[in-house]
Amino acid sequence: MIEDGRRWYPVQTQPKREAYAVQQLNNQGYEVFFPRRLITVRHARRVLEREASYFPGYIFVSLDLTREPWTRVNNTFGVRSLVMVGARPAAVPTSFVEILRGHLDQDGRLPPLAPFQVGERVSIVNGPLVDLVGTIDRLDSGNRVRLLLELATGVLPVFTDTKNLSSIPQN
């Protein structure tokens, strides 16, 4: 929780330099919130999970504009600038950051916002495989999922977008 007079301000970072900017701001004594999540990436025929920014290119810093020189934030390595409205930094609602912080898991990450979960049974509602039923095997970054479709000849893995799926109610 932040003290009276302090607000959360979004900071735009240099590309893929969020963690570096957080380290530099922490070294200067600023309280920083850097929401992260796990994503699945494919590299060299391997599927890996790695940590990524929940808001790519942005972090949040707690400031009291009446007591702290907020211009120092803009001169920090890894930072492009505070998000501004006119000549002043734009604050985000304190409840926004506090709600996000309340949803962090034990590793300090936010859970995915996917409307589906691994193991959930779904029906395809769009495309050439419409009305086929499958089980979600993997949630990839973005809105892609890997389904295991149950066909008469066996199980077929298929990649599709979540917008093409509909949940099947559990009995």
Side-chain angles (χ1 to χ4, degrees):
M1 192 71 168
I2 55 178
E3 302 105 41
D4 292 333
R6 300 184 76 70
R7 303 277 312 268
W8 288 103
Y9 295 88
V11 176
Q12 185 178 20
T13 64
Q14 294 171 350
K16 300 185 188 288
R17 302 281 283 183
E18 298 94 347
Y20 183 69
V22 168
Q23 179 185 15
Q24 296 298 314
L25 289 166
N26 282 335
N27 289 344
Q28 295 177 56
Y30 290 106
E31 181 182 359
V32 181
F33 177 58
F34 175 33
R36 296 172 312 279
R37 64 188 172 115
L38 274 182
I39 62 168
T40 304
V41 293
R42 286 182 205 75
H43 178 70
R45 297 184 185 180
R46 294 183 308 178
V47 177
L48 308 168
E49 280 194 339
R50 69 175 179 86
E51 217 172 57
S53 176
Y54 207 77
F55 302 104
Y58 293 91
I59 58 176
F60 300 92
V61 65
S62 172
L63 296 168
D64 183 347
L65 296 183
T66 61
R67 297 184 194 159
E68 295 177 282
W70 58 267
T71 55
R72 281 189 359 200
V73 173
N74 287 344
N75 296 323
T76 301
F77 289 116
V79 170
R80 278 197 174 163
S81 71
L82 282 157
V83 175
M84 306 291 282
V85 172
R88 297 197 38 93
V92 296
T94 301
S95 60
F96 172 75
V97 172
E98 296 306 322
I99 289 170
L100 288 176
R101 289 175 88 173
H103 285 87
L104 296 177
D105 65 13
Q106 66 273 12
D107 297 320
R109 296 185 203 112
L110 288 168
L113 288 178
F116 302 103
Q117 300 296 322
V118 172
E120 184 174 352
R121 299 208 19 97
V122 294
S123 173
I124 298 177
V125 294
N126 290 321
L129 302 175
V130 70
D131 292 332
L132 291 179
V133 174
T135 304
I136 295 179
D137 179 50
R138 184 172 69 217
L139 298 168
D140 288 343
S141 58
N143 291 326
R144 294 194 47 85
V145 297
R146 184 173 107 164
L147 291 178
L148 298 178
L149 296 179
E150 299 154 8
L151 305 174
T153 58
V155 176
L156 175 69
V158 174
F159 287 92
T160 189
D161 195 282
T162 56
K163 68 181 179 185
N164 297 327
L165 303 176
S166 175
S167 291
I168 296 176
Q170 299 293 327
N171 292 341

